[in-house]
Amino acid sequence: MIDQHATWIAVNPVQGCTKGCAYCFLNERGQTRVRPRQVATPAEAVEQLLASEVYAPDRAVALYTWTDVMALSSSREHLHRLLGEWQRARVPNPLVLITKCRVPDETIARLTAARAAGVPLVVFLSYSGLGKDIEQGIRHQDSARNFPALSAAGIPLVHYWRPVLPTAATPEVMTGVLDLAARYARCSMVAGLKVERAALGRLAGVWPELALAPQATEAEGVYPRPFWEFVHSTRRKHPGYPVFHATACALAYVLRQPDRFGIYGSEMCRQRTVCPAVQRDRCAAAAPPLPTDEAVTAALRLRGLSGVGHRLDVDGRELVLDAAVPARVVGALTQDLRVRVRVDGQGDDRYWSSGTAGAAPLIVG
């Protein structure tokens, strides 16, 4: 129920989704087109989070990443009660919710009340202009209406532009998505299609070119070339609107925090991201000191990696480990040391490769 992802700690007291999005990683886990089940009460979820070995009070927490919490009234009620437990426990962590379903007025009121009580809450709205053939069960008009509704309530929004398949990589669709996001969201976060090994054959059914790209499973994300070129030219129409390629950067910008994932100054930072000067200045001013050998050794011991060969590279801003390390451990270690971490694969970890850990994008077409 508690897991460490690349950018945040995931808390999943409700699991399973009634929707049938073709690209979703839950397909391989038998968790799509099913009624969600509660695996923990709101109080148990908060208690287990605070007791987890990956917990730290300054790290973002994403709720309900194994469902769309807005899809059913029972899931939303669980969220409402969890927000109450969160406030009672005075949990200080930034809180992230991700949805592509309609957020009802009652839930908007609950989110607004939580923010007024001091909870640093951010909503990621997933919207890419895909059709019902790909996102089965999604009412896309509701997805679009979320933007003005949540923005009017003062809730910070990140537009989650993920994934984009060739059918949505047309100038008309991409321009429409960008225009909507730039009007209401604080920024967009671009993510390619995540391809786990077990999903490659299935995903090739909706994107046939993937059958000729087995390297897709090692990529940070897979992008249609027209989309890749479009998102690197958004300044032409919306020059002041940030477009990030790392979730950690989008979250840092909205929370007005500096980079803590070793991304600042990297190739992604310098060449891929449309980042405003205020955020670059924030990251530059708060750049952490280089980790000492003692700090690295202690962090490796904490994460169960004692004795693993390692070295600091790229002027001390990248930790290279001579071992396959699960993505969840890499995510925790990155935040422990505030440097990029590069490893020799993820071992038997089934999750996709992480750009935070050095995986590169794959452009198709």
Side-chain angles (χ1 to χ4, degrees), residues 212-224:
L212 304 176
Q215 67 272 37
T217 61
E218 306 301 323
E220 163 261 322
V222 185
Y223 301 80

Side-chain angles (χ1 to χ4, degrees), residues 204-242:
V206 296
W207 190 351
E209 288 82 359
L210 292 179
L212 304 176
Q215 67 272 37
T217 61
E218 306 301 323
E220 163 261 322
V222 185
Y223 301 80
R225 185 168 297 279
F227 177 69
W228 183 257
E229 293 173 352
F230 181 87
V231 297
H232 286 84
S233 62
T234 57
R235 286 187 179 94
R236 296 175 186 172
K237 190 168 186 183
H238 296 283
Y241 182 69

Side-chain angles (χ1 to χ4, degrees), residues 77-131:
E77 177 57 30
H78 194 284
L79 166 63
H80 297 169
R81 290 187 286 121
L82 194 151
L83 289 173
E85 296 291 342
W86 193 271
Q87 292 169 234
R88 276 189 285 276
R90 297 185 179 180
V91 183
N93 302 66
L95 199 55
V96 173
L97 293 169
I98 306 164
T99 188
K100 59 174 68 73
C101 295
R102 175 177 174 266
V103 185
D105 291 343
E106 179 188 2
T107 299
I108 292 176
R110 296 294 184 102
L111 301 182
T112 303
R115 282 185 47 79
V119 178
L121 186 148
V122 180
V123 174
F124 279 57
L125 291 179
S126 184
Y127 186 68
S128 301
L130 293 165

Side-chain angles (χ1 to χ4, degrees), residues 289-307:
L290 298 177
T292 63
D293 290 338
E294 292 77 10
V296 171
T297 299
L300 292 175
R301 184 186 308 115
L302 175 66
R303 300 302 171 189
L305 298 173
S306 294

Side-chain angles (χ1 to χ4, degrees), residues 126-355:
S126 184
Y127 186 68
S128 301
L130 293 165
K132 291 184 177 180
D133 57 329
I134 300 297
E135 294 182 328
Q136 296 180 18
I138 299 300
R139 295 185 176 93
H140 294 98
Q141 65 272 26
D142 288 344
S143 301
R145 289 168 183 159
N146 279 334
F147 284 88
L150 288 163
S151 176
I155 297 171
L157 301 179
V158 173
H159 166 225
Y160 224 176
W161 208 342
R162 56 128 204 196
V164 172
L165 304 183
T167 54
T170 66
E172 295 78 14
V173 172
M174 294 185 294
T175 299
V177 170
L178 177 63
D179 287 350
L180 175 67
R183 183 176 180 183
Y184 296 108
R186 304 281 178 90
C187 62
S188 285
M189 162 54 205
V190 174
L193 178 67
K194 307 295 187 180
V195 183
E196 297 175 314
R197 293 184 185 92
L200 180 58
R202 180 178 59 78
L203 291 172
V206 296
W207 190 351
E209 288 82 359
L210 292 179
L212 304 176
Q215 67 272 37
T217 61
E218 306 301 323
E220 163 261 322
V222 185
Y223 301 80
R225 185 168 297 279
F227 177 69
W228 183 257
E229 293 173 352
F230 181 87
V231 297
H232 286 84
S233 62
T234 57
R235 286 187 179 94
R236 296 175 186 172
K237 190 168 186 183
H238 296 283
Y241 182 69
V243 179
F244 296 101
H245 285 247
T247 311
C249 293
L251 197 55
Y253 173 68
V254 172
L255 295 173
R256 299 181 181 179
Q257 296 177 349
D259 167 49
R260 56 180 302 155
F261 289 80
I263 297 172
Y264 177 69
S266 68
E267 181 273 339
M268 179 186 291
C269 170
R270 290 181 287 104
Q271 300 182 22
R272 292 170 57 186
T273 289
V274 181
C275 183
V278 64
Q279 182 62 26
R280 293 190 183 277
D281 291 345
R282 188 177 289 136
C283 293
L290 298 177
T292 63
D293 290 338
E294 292 77 10
V296 171
T297 299
L300 292 175
R301 184 186 308 115
L302 175 66
R303 300 302 171 189
L305 298 173
S306 294
V308 170
H310 62 275
R311 67 183 184 278
L312 285 168
D313 207 348
V314 191
D315 298 326
R317 294 296 180 189
E318 183 173 272
L319 176 64
V320 181
L321 302 182
D322 300 325
V325 180
R328 64 178 62 87
V329 178
V330 173
L333 193 58
T334 298
Q335 295 185 77
D336 293 339
L337 294 170
R338 297 184 67 178
V339 297
R340 298 184 298 278
V341 179
R342 184 153 48 93
V343 297
D344 290 337
Q346 296 180 192
D348 60 359
D349 186 344
R350 292 194 300 164
Y351 278 98
W352 49 80
S353 301
S354 168

